[in-house]
Amino acid sequence: MKQCMDSENLHRRLKKIIGQVQAIDRMVDEDIPCEDILSQLNAAKSALNRVGQVVLEGHLKHCVRDGIEHGDAEETIEKFTKAVERFANMQ
């Protein structure tokens, strides 16, 4: 699986999200207005969604392509369908 992902890009994105979540946690302690906290929560959720898109895109470009060209196409399609379903459940 690692070959289908740009792990440096994903790690960079995830570290940024961790920082966002830590900042949100501090906002709660600092009695920041709810609408500001919700705005930051939405930003973190959007960033996580983008990470999911990057993972799914890598899966399609590498794992699915390789599975169709060199493996069992039916099994590959089944696995891709499962990946898309999991991504859709993130929404």
Side-chain angles (χ1 to χ4, degrees):
M1 286 296 158
K2 196 169 185 175
Q3 71 274 8
C4 71
M5 295 183 208
D6 179 356
S7 60
E8 286 184 31
N9 179 24
L10 290 174
H11 285 299
R12 183 175 30 77
R13 288 174 181 273
L14 291 168
K15 285 178 184 178
K16 184 176 179 181
I17 293 166
I18 290 167
Q20 286 178 304
V21 171
Q22 289 171 337
I24 294 166
D25 187 51
R26 285 191 301 274
M27 291 172 78
V28 171
D29 290 336
E30 295 169 2
D31 200 31
I32 301 296
C34 297
E35 59 272 10
D36 293 343
I37 294 172
L38 289 168
S39 178
Q40 292 305 310
L41 285 167
N42 189 46
K45 180 182 173 186
S46 294
L48 272 173
N49 187 43
R50 183 63 186 133
V51 169
Q53 290 173 350
V54 169
V55 170
L56 189 61
E57 182 180 318
H59 180 65
L60 178 61
K61 287 182 176 180
H62 299 281
C63 300
V64 173
R65 178 184 290 152
D66 186 61
I68 289 173
E69 291 175 355
H70 303 111
D72 181 348
E74 289 300 317
E75 180 183 354
T76 299
I77 292 168
E78 187 177 312
K79 287 181 179 180
F80 179 66
T81 300
K82 185 184 285 187
V84 170
E85 287 172 0
R86 289 184 180 170
F87 178 74
N89 286 335
M90 289 175 50
Q91 307 305 311

